[in-house]
Amino acid sequence: MSEDIRGGYAVEQWARAFVTALTHEDEATRRRADERVRRWRDVVRGIAGGSLTPGSRAPVAGLPAWVTPVVVHGGFATGEAAAGGPLRAHELAVCERFGLPERRRALMAHHLAGDGLAELLRMLDTGEYRVDLPEHAALPVLAWLLRAGDEDAARELFAEIAPFADRLGFAPAPAPPAGDPAVVWRGTAGQAAAALAAREPNGRVEAMREALAVWNPFADDLLRWWLDGDLGESADEPWHERGVALLERYRLLAANHTRCAKHRRPKENLAVLRHALEEVVAGRELTPRARGLLRHAVASMVRRRGEPGSARHGELRSRQAAQLDVPAHHTTAREVVRRLASLPPDRGVPDVAELCAPVDGVPVPAAIRRVVARALAGTVEELVDAGVVPSAEVLARLVPRIAATTTAAAYPDEALRTLVAATCLAFRNRRSLLLLDLRHQVRVDELPWVRAIARHRARGEGTRHDALAALRRLGELALDAFPGTTLPNTLVRELAELGREAEVDLPWVEQLAADIYEGRFSPKFSRAAEQAGDHLRGSLYARHYALRQGPVGDLDALCRGRSGVSGWSVAGNHAIIEQAQVLTTHNLVTLVARVGVRGDWPALARRAFDTAVRFAGRAPTSTRPQATAKLARDAWRHTVFFLSEAGSAAPPAWLRDHDGPLADQVGELLRCYGPARANRSGEPGS
């Protein structure tokens, strides 16, 4: 396993990207694959040359753990530092403005004296900056420390970051103030505009519009011509001249309108009439077969639509003309893009209804509204209620702003509070590394500039209370919005961060990757399992899953025994890890018994059950049947937990009456019902 981690996996990913870059039919996909080839090549060469150590908290030789690495799929560092590379546009502008050499060390020196230091302090006071990477907060923190008179902390911070001054950028970019920290968005106005601007005309829709606007009027005129001439029986010179003009018109239309191809298909009525027209104009007699086809086509057209000029025919063409008055989707999208252009491109949108107001009196299509709605700005609860948050993973991407603001609230100085919040948000974008030997990811308080301001933080009861309130709020939101979904690791990390701010020692457990599972769990998993066993003693959940009480002992051996797995395999690791989720309830007991999350347990149980049934029904035909079945088992586990919290001695009717997917599990659970246990709710931190 370790040998595969050190090289095999990286080589495989490199090869896959190389094949995609050579063979994929889409040019944009090939370009993206070229970039993946470059990065995986760097990974493979770094591992082979010893400059990269997969599984380490500091995988890049010469860079400390706090430096943000560039990370590719699977948690492999490429050897690059995210804050390195060429100077950014605003950095080049500073160099040009002050006549500095285009080198990072010169920029650092500039920012620590004179105009550069004054500009950093102005940014701090106005909030007019953007921290894209955690490193970009280092110099503003140093400037703040100097202004606060904390020269010792400033000197220590400078000593720690100065050795990397020629490789990393430590200053933020100018930008408008961040705005209300309670307001979040899934996408930005700029992203919505780019997605809509990329919309191309729909080929089928445009062909239909061409048929209505071009070929239907021509077909009407051609049919009228044949009817006026009694299908050629009453031909005269004016009639013949009209036919010549019609044929010339057809040739022009066919050359300039190529989307609709029906007029070229020999069996189509229009093609039959046009072929007969060509014969007559050329002075040739129609063959008996051609005349028969002509008569059939004319009769069919009149029977279906009526003669041109009749009331029935006029009503049909009026309805079709109304369809043409409706703007095409890509035309409407361009108008919405124009409206979006008036908003800041890096923020969410305040009002979807206003941006999607009717265009020329025609409602904006739902497909375009959905793109704009993804950029809606509001509180997390408002976005969930608006249906903009479709999964727990998306929810996890929205909550860092709340956690960052809560963390920053402990700093009395307003400028420092804003800077810390920006730093925490940037840190949340740091991709997780592949770690071995139960190591933990780098935490925000390990950053040198965050450590440097630790003494300026005021920890008080109010701060802890606010952090606990935010933790409870997010926990209740997650369970209520997605009761059948296991908390994703990104959300678990946010909850754990809030728990640390609340100074509550809670055993948050993550979902583990089966392909790198090393056969042992960290101590917090055992704590979570013991906590769950105590809280669920005598409950429906405990009976259904045969939980043991008291200390769990060797959790690794216990999970392996419950799963029936021997030896090492990815499939076996999945089974072992799933048993750990059963025993720990994967943070459900932590949320309910320790944080104090409350919910409508019967309603949550029913919704989690519906999720379980949905996934169980999909699993047999899914392209990923094992993963889909795992989602069903997760939702089923949540169902049993919520039913246990409801504490009813009798199963609900919807469970008793179920005979679809999961019927066997339902039957087993029904046999576990007995006297309800008395619910016990521990105080947070108890």
Side-chain angles (χ1 to χ4, degrees):
M1 179 175 65
S2 61
E3 189 60 33
D4 178 65
I5 289 174
R6 291 188 178 278
Y9 179 85
V11 171
E12 180 185 348
Q13 294 300 314
W14 184 16
R16 285 184 179 180
F18 188 70
V19 170
T20 302
L22 288 178
T23 62
H24 202 281
E25 58 186 20
D26 180 63
E27 182 181 354
T29 301
R30 291 198 303 273
R31 284 198 303 270
R32 291 192 296 270
D34 276 332
E35 177 61 19
R36 291 201 303 276
V37 168
R38 183 187 69 78
R39 292 190 170 183
W40 279 112
R41 182 174 59 238
D42 292 344
V43 171
V44 172
R45 289 177 176 174
I47 295 173
S51 63
L52 289 177
T53 307
S56 168
R57 297 180 82 235
V60 183
L63 292 180
W66 55 260
V67 173
T68 305
V70 174
V71 178
V72 292
H73 183 74
F76 285 80
T78 66
E80 299 176 81
L87 296 183
R88 295 173 292 167
H90 70 277
E91 292 172 321
L92 291 171
V94 170
C95 292
E96 181 178 358
R97 179 182 173 191
F98 293 98
L100 305 175
E102 293 183 0
R103 296 196 297 270
R104 294 197 179 280
R105 188 172 293 277
L107 277 170
M108 174 179 269
H110 167 76
H111 284 303
L112 293 179
D115 292 336
L117 181 58
E119 177 62 14
L120 279 181
L121 293 173
R122 187 197 67 80
M123 284 183 171
L124 280 172
D125 292 336
T126 61
E128 295 177 350
Y129 59 88
R130 186 181 69 247
V131 177
D132 296 316
L133 293 164
E135 286 85 342
H136 297 160
L139 287 179
V141 166
L142 206 156
W144 186 91
L145 289 169
L146 290 173
R147 184 168 68 178
D150 193 346
E151 295 182 3
D152 290 341
R155 190 177 295 110
E156 292 173 8
L157 174 57
F158 178 78
E160 194 158 0
I161 66 175
F164 308 98
D166 57 344
R167 300 179 60 181
L168 306 176
F170 289 112
D180 185 354
V183 176
V184 296
W185 47 83
R186 180 181 171 190
T188 65
Q191 290 169 339
L196 293 176
R199 292 203 165 208
E200 298 291 337
N202 184 300
R204 294 175 63 182
V205 172
E206 292 305 305
M208 181 197 73
R209 294 175 67 85
E210 182 181 280
L212 295 178
V214 175
W215 295 111
N216 281 1
F218 176 77
D220 292 343
D221 291 345
L222 183 55
L223 176 60
R224 181 77 271 164
W225 182 77
W226 279 112
L227 290 173
D228 289 347
D230 194 17
L231 304 190
E233 299 295 335
S234 303
D236 55 22
E237 189 63 26
W239 182 80
H240 188 273
E241 290 177 358
R242 284 170 56 202
V244 172
L246 277 172
L247 186 58
E248 180 61 26
R249 177 181 162 196
Y250 169 78
R251 288 168 180 158
L252 288 172
L253 292 177
N256 294 307
H257 301 279
T258 59
R259 292 185 181 274
C260 180
K262 286 183 67 174
H263 60 91
R264 300 192 190 96
R265 298 171 190 160
K267 294 184 179 181
E268 292 288 339
N269 290 334
L270 177 56
V272 171
L273 268 61
R274 187 255 305 163
H275 174 72
L277 168 66
E278 291 173 342
E279 294 297 297
V280 169
V281 168
R284 293 187 290 268
E285 286 287 333
L286 294 177
T287 65
R289 182 176 184 279
R291 184 166 293 279
L293 289 173
L294 173 63
R295 291 184 181 280
H296 180 270
V298 169
S300 175
M301 294 170 75
V302 172
R303 183 173 61 254
R304 288 174 59 190
R305 305 182 185 91
E307 287 192 21
S310 68
R312 183 159 66 97
H313 186 275
E315 290 175 3
L316 172 64
R317 293 307 188 215
S318 295
R319 291 197 302 272
Q320 292 174 337
Q323 295 178 25
L324 283 173
D325 288 339
V326 177
H329 279 204
H330 68 280
T331 302
T332 303
R334 290 194 189 105
E335 171 58 25
V336 177
V337 168
R338 187 190 65 77
R339 297 171 181 176
L340 285 164
S342 64
L343 300 174
D346 59 345
R347 306 289 176 85
V349 303
D351 190 346
V352 174
E354 182 178 345
L355 291 166
C356 294
V359 176
D360 297 328
V362 179
V364 170
I368 294 176
R369 290 182 63 90
R370 282 195 295 270
V371 173
V372 179
R374 280 200 294 270
L376 177 65
T379 65
V380 176
E381 289 86 353
E382 288 170 345
L383 298 191
V384 169
D385 290 342
V388 179
V389 184
S391 67
E393 287 73 18
V394 173
L395 175 64
R397 294 202 296 268
L398 297 178
V399 300
R401 196 173 176 93
I402 297 172
T405 304
T406 304
T407 299
Y411 295 86
D413 184 86
E414 182 178 355
L416 187 57
R417 199 160 51 238
T418 301
L419 179 58
V420 170
T423 306
C424 292
L425 273 177
F427 185 81
R428 297 303 197 276
N429 294 327
R430 177 179 171 131
R431 294 189 63 178
S432 296
L433 284 166
L434 166 68
L435 297 178
L436 302 177
D437 299 324
L438 304 181
R439 299 182 179 98
H440 65 78
Q441 300 290 333
V442 172
R443 296 181 178 130
V444 69
D445 54 12
E446 296 180 63
L447 303 179
W449 44 98
V450 175
R451 292 201 314 270
I453 55 175
R455 71 187 70 177
H456 298 279
R457 180 174 180 167
R459 292 180 180 272
E461 188 59 35
T463 302
R464 291 191 291 271
H465 179 272
D466 290 345
L468 184 59
L471 175 57
R472 188 175 294 127
R473 169 194 174 196
L474 292 184
E476 290 180 350
L477 182 62
L479 292 191
D480 185 64
F482 308 103
T485 302
T486 298
L487 298 181
N489 285 352
T490 46
L491 185 54
V492 172
R493 283 195 289 271
E494 297 302 325
L495 297 174
E497 185 63 34
L498 286 170
R500 281 191 288 273
E501 290 301 316
E503 299 183 9
V504 179
D505 184 20
L506 301 174
W508 298 104
V509 296
E510 301 86 4
Q511 296 188 60
L512 303 179
D515 53 348
I516 60 171
Y517 170 64
E518 300 176 79
R520 55 198 174 117
F521 296 99
S522 63
K524 64 184 177 184
F525 280 80
S526 295
R527 286 180 55 208
E530 292 175 6
Q531 172 184 272
D534 180 61
H535 177 75
L536 294 166
R537 189 185 306 272
S539 71
L540 179 67
Y541 188 102
R543 293 192 293 274
H544 181 65
Y545 286 113
L547 297 192
R548 59 188 297 177
Q549 308 301 322
V552 298
D554 187 342
L555 181 63
D556 314 303
L558 176 60
C559 292
R560 185 176 293 275
R562 286 173 62 98
S563 65
V565 171
S566 61
W568 190 97
S569 68
V570 173
N573 289 349
H574 274 296
I576 295 170
I577 291 168
E578 194 164 344
Q579 284 303 314
Q581 289 184 323
V582 168
L583 293 174
T584 63
T585 70
H586 197 77
N587 302 304
L588 290 177
V589 165
T590 297
L591 286 171
V592 173
R594 303 292 301 281
V595 175
V597 166
R598 295 290 174 263
D600 184 347
W601 305 125
L604 292 177
R606 177 61 192 267
R607 291 167 55 205
F609 180 70
D610 290 342
T611 301
V613 170
R614 184 171 69 252
F615 282 125
R618 289 179 185 173
T621 58
S622 172
T623 55
R624 301 178 62 209
Q626 293 179 338
T628 306
K630 171 65 167 60
L631 294 175
R633 293 194 297 273
D634 289 345
W636 172 251
R637 187 176 68 250
H638 283 220
T639 301
V640 179
F641 178 83
F642 294 141
L643 287 172
S644 298
E645 291 303 307
S648 174
W654 51 264
L655 191 66
R656 292 196 309 268
D657 299 339
H658 178 74
D659 60 358
L662 299 179
D664 291 342
Q665 290 93 320
V666 169
E668 181 181 336
L669 182 65
L670 291 176
R671 290 190 289 273
C672 292
Y673 262 89
R677 70 182 177 91
N679 282 337
R680 293 186 299 126
S681 301
E683 290 300 319
S686 61

